[in-house]
Amino acid sequence: ARDRSLGALIISAPLNTPWNTTARATIEHLSISVSLAIDAVLLDEEERQARAREHTLATALTTIDHPVFILGEDLIRYANPASAREYGWPVGELLGRHFADLVASVTPSRPRLGLTEHDNELDEQSLPAEHRHRRRDGTEFVAAVTVSELRTEAGVAYGTVVSVRDVTMDRAVAEQLRHSEKMVAIGELVAGVAHEINNPLTSISAFAELLLEDPLGAEQRESVELIKRESDRATQVIRDLLLFARKSDAPVGPIDVNALVEQTLRLRSYVLRNSEIEVALDPDSSRPAVQGDAQRIQQVVLNLITNAEHAMEGCARRVLTLSTQQHDGRVLIRVSDTGRGMSAAVQRRLFEPFFTTKPPGVGTGLGLSVSYGIAQAHNGTLSVDSSVDEGSTFVLELPALSGAAGSLDEHRNGDDA
Ligand code: ADP
Ligand code: MG
């Protein structure tokens, strides 16, 4: 059947009665019918197997937990259930749609934007190509896309298989890792240098002070006073550096967060009043507590307040808002300002040591990197939300001390006893 040999039909007759032509013709017809019948059965079997194969493949695509599409001429011919979950369209509505409709943007490999330390100009480093896909609700995600062509056995292309993976989180984690590795490396370097410089600086300052006790000419006095002032300023920078480089030592004790915030605010109340900054305080009434080094946590809040003051210089509306909030085993300390805010380029780099947009003498670029290190040492995080000309909100998030307010009182009572 169909040019294939399916087998042999053997019919025997007694030697003395040879086949006549009619008999031969009948047998030939019979063999043709038999082969057709066999062929039909075999065809059915092949089709059944093909269907089973198809079913297996379809099931496999169904269970894959990331989107897989089969396209013909950019039209979606097949979409697995994971595509519906990821993109928010029912499979039925994905079919027949142009795949390009799901693509928000494709940015080819491009230079990285950021500020150089000197002139705030944009420097160039390469970023890999980035595909962004759009969901039904308008949100976007970074997609890793793999495309393979479908070809017939003769090699003619008739479609493509596109498989997509949401790598938004991968990107964020890699960025986070890159950042913390950099911080550790810089921390070690800085600690070494700072220690080396600290000793001579202390001597310079001490001897300048001694000199000032001697009778000096007016001009000499002025020079020595300058030496003293400048070496003290350098000492302060070194102290910041050492604070930044300090390894995460064990948290020290329970901290009443509301009290700490109020105390820190009092430290700045004079400056805040002079700069005519309105202050709003919104403490959580549950009196949240954290475990840690109160002085270092205070340093963070102080840095955030100082930055807020700087950011609101020359702004018509100047409101500083501090709030504390206990939520889900975490304590959030928020510092918001109505200052000039910052661009995305600044936001990307502001936790880097020595990154500053302020003139020399005003900013060291260490405040936020020190704060970031302190947050990490306390198993916490420091994050920012900001928009240009509207203001910024920094959030210090720390693990709550269980039993918050109660345990603080117990601790105090314990101390008293
Ligand atoms: P410094 O204050 O010495 O410049 P920081 O590490 O404290 O260093 O801050 C780094 C940079 O981040 C600042 O120079 C500024 O550009 C930006 N920045 C920090 N806080 C704010 C804020 N509240 N509003 C706007 N920009 C800010
Ligand atoms: Mg600062």
Side-chain angles (χ1 to χ4, degrees):
R2 290 185 294 146
D3 294 336
R4 286 193 299 174
S5 162
L6 296 174
L9 179 66
I10 301 173
I11 298 175
S12 49
L15 274 175
N16 53 355
T17 43
W19 301 107
N20 61 24
T21 31
T22 329
R24 274 180 191 282
T26 310
I27 288 168
E28 255 163 44
H29 276 121
L30 175 66
S31 74
I32 288 169
S33 304
V34 168
S35 66
L36 283 177
I38 291 175
D39 187 44
V41 170
L42 286 181
L43 252 176
D44 255 12
E45 175 65 11
E46 271 166 27
E47 197 173 336
R48 204 183 55 75
Q49 282 182 2
R51 284 233 188 92
R53 237 184 351 257
E54 207 170 279
H55 179 75
T56 311
L57 287 176
T59 311
L61 285 174
T62 303
T63 54
I64 288 178
D65 67 353
H66 59 83
V68 178
F69 299 94
I70 296 176
L71 313 183
E73 312 259 307
D74 193 49
L75 286 181
I76 299 173
R77 303 291 186 200
Y78 170 87
N80 68 346
S83 335
R85 284 197 298 275
E86 183 68 81
Y87 289 86
W89 298 96
V91 168
E93 289 187 44
L94 281 169
L95 300 183
R97 196 175 272 277
H98 279 281
F99 185 70
D101 291 350
L102 301 177
V103 181
S105 64
V106 178
T107 318
S109 182
R110 71 196 150 114
R112 182 194 293 273
L113 297 183
L115 298 173
T116 57
E117 27 183 308
H118 300 301
D119 44 16
N120 298 349
E121 266 175 14
L122 301 174
D123 71 350
E124 301 202 349
Q125 258 180 303
S126 194
L127 277 177
E130 186 173 287
H131 294 247
R132 296 187 72 87
H133 284 191
R134 190 183 296 117
R135 301 189 182 90
R136 184 184 194 170
D137 63 9
T139 56
E140 295 180 5
F141 64 95
V142 183
V145 180
T146 318
V147 178
S148 37
E149 289 224 312
L150 288 172
R151 289 176 184 281
T152 60
E153 275 171 40
V156 182
Y158 67 95
T160 35
V161 182
V162 179
S163 122
V164 176
R165 217 158 52 78
D166 177 356
V167 291
T168 311
M169 279 313 287
D170 299 20
R171 284 281 171 99
V173 168
E175 181 63 20
Q176 180 68 27
L177 196 66
R178 191 187 67 84
H179 186 245
S180 47
E181 278 174 359
K182 198 152 113 189
M183 299 294 256
V184 168
I186 294 174
E188 312 237 303
L189 180 74
V190 156
V193 175
H195 278 295
E196 281 305 310
I197 294 178
N198 204 26
N199 294 339
L201 267 181
T202 313
S203 309
I204 293 171
S205 170
F207 282 109
E209 210 167 320
L210 273 182
L211 266 180
L212 284 174
E213 288 172 9
D214 292 345
L216 295 172
E219 212 170 299
Q220 282 174 316
R221 178 162 297 276
E222 204 177 302
S223 301
V224 177
E225 274 170 357
L226 186 71
I227 294 176
K228 170 86 175 103
R229 210 166 44 241
E230 291 295 287
S231 58
D232 283 350
R233 196 161 73 88
T235 307
Q236 185 55 48
V237 173
I238 294 293
R239 203 167 296 150
D240 280 354
L241 278 174
L242 283 171
L243 206 58
F244 158 70
R246 207 158 107 190
K247 292 277 152 12
S248 53
D249 18 27
V252 189
I255 303 170
D256 179 336
V257 175
N258 289 352
L260 179 136
V261 168
E262 282 162 26
Q263 209 176 38
T264 318
L265 208 47
R266 268 201 299 281
L267 284 177
R268 297 303 290 178
S269 62
Y270 176 76
V271 183
L272 290 166
R273 218 173 317 118
N274 267 358
S275 318
E276 295 177 342
I277 292 173
E278 187 186 318
V279 177
L281 189 61
D282 180 17
D284 190 323
S285 56
S286 73
R287 278 184 63 201
V290 296
Q291 181 83 18
D293 180 338
Q295 226 181 333
R296 294 171 79 196
I297 299 293
Q298 180 163 55
Q299 169 94 36
V300 176
V301 179
L302 202 57
N303 285 343
L304 297 180
I305 295 177
T306 313
N307 282 344
E309 288 165 12
H310 286 156
M312 291 192 284
E313 265 169 24
C315 292
R317 190 161 167 266
R318 294 187 295 279
V319 185
L320 171 70
T321 311
L322 278 97
S323 73
T324 63
Q325 189 192 3
Q326 175 143 351
H327 180 70
D328 255 357
R330 312 285 288 174
V331 176
L332 312 182
I333 305 175
R334 278 198 188 79
V335 180
S336 301
D337 64 62
T338 55
R340 67 181 78 91
M342 53 196 127
S343 67
V346 170
Q347 280 186 50
R348 256 198 300 274
R349 298 197 53 194
L350 83 174
F351 294 115
E352 286 181 17
F354 307 111
F355 174 79
T356 181
T357 58
K358 298 170 190 172
V362 178
T364 56
L366 284 172
L368 287 179
S369 56
V370 167
S371 305
Y372 187 92
I374 294 174
Q376 277 197 326
H378 287 81
N379 300 317
T381 58
L382 180 62
S383 55
V384 66
D385 186 21
S386 176
S387 39
V388 174
D389 291 335
E390 281 179 28
S392 314
T393 299
F394 282 83
V395 184
L396 172 64
E397 192 178 328
L398 299 166
L401 194 61
S402 51
S407 72
L408 267 182
D409 290 334
E410 271 161 35
H411 186 83
R412 285 216 191 91
N413 295 345
D415 277 354
D416 291 343

